[in-house]
Amino acid sequence: MRAMILDAPRQPLRLAELPVPKPNSEQVLIRVHACAVCRTDLHIVDGELTHPKLPLILGHQIVGTIEELGEKVDQFHLGQRVGVPWLGHTCAHCPYCLSGRENLCDYAEFTGYNLDGGYADYTVADHRFCFPLDPSYPDLQAAPLLCGGLIGYRAYNMTGDVAKLGFYGFGSSAHILIQLARYQGRKVFAFTRPGDIVGQEFARQLGANWAGDSDVLPPEPLDAAIIFAPVGKLVPTALRAVAKGGVVVCAGIHMSDIPSFPYSILWEERVLRSVANLTRQDGEEFLTIAPQIPIRTEVNSFPLTQANEALDALRSGKIEGSAVLVMK
């Protein structure tokens, strides 16, 4: 099979021919159809997330069909289409797993980080961490739901039942979650890189009530804000934008350092919190509601062999919606 390999941080991915992997008793072998490109992949390539398995096949938003079942797999069948997310395995016995917080498992393993992922023709995955996919979603449109959607949904739920919601960074997650927010009748304020007129217009097309530069205050105070961009200086900016009792959620797995800020912008019971990973319950809930809305993803497709070009396009902010690798 073909695979794009990361040999070391800050190096381009290398195209290689590898044997098709064999699933163990609790895994399925998946023929990959599409794999969305995530900013987390960039953090791994750029060395900002340390200690990945090396060499590594990146990719944790995988859509494909099952070609082989491990002997203990009984919930899927051959030929079934499934999605594979970032959370790839948990221990099931640590205090976090036992309290419904498997996203914080002390022994968690992550697809495309500790485990080989989907930048390849085939991959194996623990069947307990795979999701059946609604047939209304083509492969390309389904792939971004598996991280941008799932972890974005967890962050979205952390904001509570609010009327006015801000999104800082309008990429893959925000372009998905704005559709849920509008479906639920919320006002959405979209913040992009300063001067990104194209991104702001994209947000308006998807229903944003206001769109502007990330370094300006919105026209009215927000009830909550989600920071999707990995930019620490946006934390005090977002705190200044939310009203008393407002919530600011940091949704990324990595963020640049947060500058010091006066206590006055946190005071009055504002809340600052992070979101880590996802649980299978998050996945099941989101993949049930997404086709009901229905959420539609905007994708920019690249062949597998152009994975480096896709990563560069994401890094430079040239992607509207999501970048997706196609294995054909």
Side-chain angles (χ1 to χ4, degrees), residues 34-36 38 60-64 82-87 129-133 139 141-152 172 176 278 283 286-287 297:
C35 184
C38 183
H60 58 272
Q61 301 182 87
I62 304 167
V63 175
V82 295
V84 182
W86 169 247
L87 185 65
F129 293 84
C130 296
F131 297 109
L133 296 173
D139 296 334
Q141 282 66 41
L145 301 177
L146 292 161
C147 183
L150 298 191
I151 296 179
S172 182
I176 292 171
L278 73 149
F286 179 72
L287 291 173
T297 55

Side-chain angles (χ1 to χ4, degrees), residues 258-307:
I258 301 171
S260 62
F261 56 84
Y263 175 65
S264 60
I265 64 173
L266 180 62
W267 188 58
E268 295 173 316
E269 298 192 352
R270 294 175 179 87
V271 175
L272 174 63
R273 66 167 304 155
S274 68
V275 163
N277 314 313
L278 73 149
T279 67
R280 283 171 285 181
Q281 181 177 344
D282 296 323
E284 291 162 2
E285 290 178 2
F286 179 72
L287 291 173
T288 297
I289 194 173
Q292 297 173 10
I293 294 173
I295 288 175
R296 296 295 180 226
T297 55
E298 298 287 335
V299 299
N300 301 258
S301 64
F302 296 79
L304 172 63
T305 54
Q306 291 182 13

